Amino acid sequence: MREDISFAACVSVLRKQFSAYCSGRLAEAGVSLGQLYILLYAGNRDGCPPKDICSALRLDAGYLNRELAKLSDRGMVTQEKNQADRRGRIVRLTAKGREVFQMSRGLFREWDEMVLSPLDAEERRHLTDLINKIAFRDGGLPSGREKSKKGE
């Protein structure tokens, strides 16, 4: 990597390329990239409450409710009463939602293979380990909405 290009710039370029790569396949499936992340979260945590999705994906509750309504209208998710908390609800993927979930996993693998093709197996493992160390560290990264403390 050239020293004058930041890591953030590289991540931004990769994210844009990934979005462009996925957009056609996702359009065929009838979902946006944002909706895909909702399906992925719900697919990995069957019966999760919407508040967990909001928290994990850092989404506004109103936005999530609108997106869940769209996914529900397309037959990809159901929202059921939460038996543990009668006031709440839980999100489950339907068979159609599971199809998109499985398709996306293949899409992610295809993207990985394409992007990582210049690297050998050891380099891929090392890069993935380093990115995981950054992305999934304890406490996560700040969202940018936190107020900075004076004097720090």
Side-chain angles (χ1 to χ4, degrees):
M1 180 168 92
R2 293 182 10 208
E3 289 184 35
D4 60 332
I5 298 177
S6 72
F7 178 72
C10 294
V11 170
S12 180
V13 167
L14 286 171
R15 180 170 166 71
K16 286 180 182 183
Q17 290 174 349
F18 178 71
S19 294
Y21 180 78
C22 291
S23 65
R25 298 271 296 279
L26 293 175
E28 291 172 13
V31 297
S32 68
L33 189 57
Q35 291 168 341
L36 176 63
Y37 290 117
I38 294 167
L39 291 173
L40 289 171
Y41 188 88
N44 284 313
R45 292 157 190 85
D46 187 47
C48 65
K51 68 178 180 174
D52 289 359
I53 299 172
C54 283
S55 178
L57 301 180
R58 295 183 178 184
L59 301 175
D60 173 79
Y63 170 79
L64 178 64
N65 285 333
R66 289 188 299 276
E67 296 305 307
L68 285 174
K70 291 174 191 175
L71 291 168
S72 182
D73 289 346
R74 292 185 193 123
M76 295 186 192
V77 299
T78 61
Q79 296 183 70
E80 307 164 9
K81 284 191 179 210
N82 185 341
Q83 298 303 320
D85 175 7
R86 294 274 187 195
R87 295 173 296 162
R89 31 186 190 119
I90 57 172
V91 177
R92 294 191 192 282
L93 298 187
T94 64
K96 187 174 181 181
R98 286 248 168 245
E99 286 177 23
V100 175
F101 176 81
Q102 292 301 327
M103 179 272 299
S104 69
R105 295 178 88 178
L107 191 61
F108 280 47
R109 281 190 295 276
E110 291 168 15
W111 168 257
D112 288 354
E113 186 57 39
M114 183 178 69
V115 170
L116 299 175
S117 64
L119 306 178
D120 64 34
E122 179 60 25
E123 290 170 324
R124 288 180 188 204
R125 187 197 58 72
H126 188 65
L127 176 63
T128 302
D129 288 348
L130 291 172
I131 296 292
N132 279 322
K133 186 175 184 177
I134 294 168
F136 301 110
R137 68 180 176 208
D138 290 341
L141 294 172
S143 67
R145 296 181 186 153
E146 295 81 4
K147 294 181 181 177
S148 64
K149 295 178 184 175
K150 291 184 178 181
E152 287 186 9

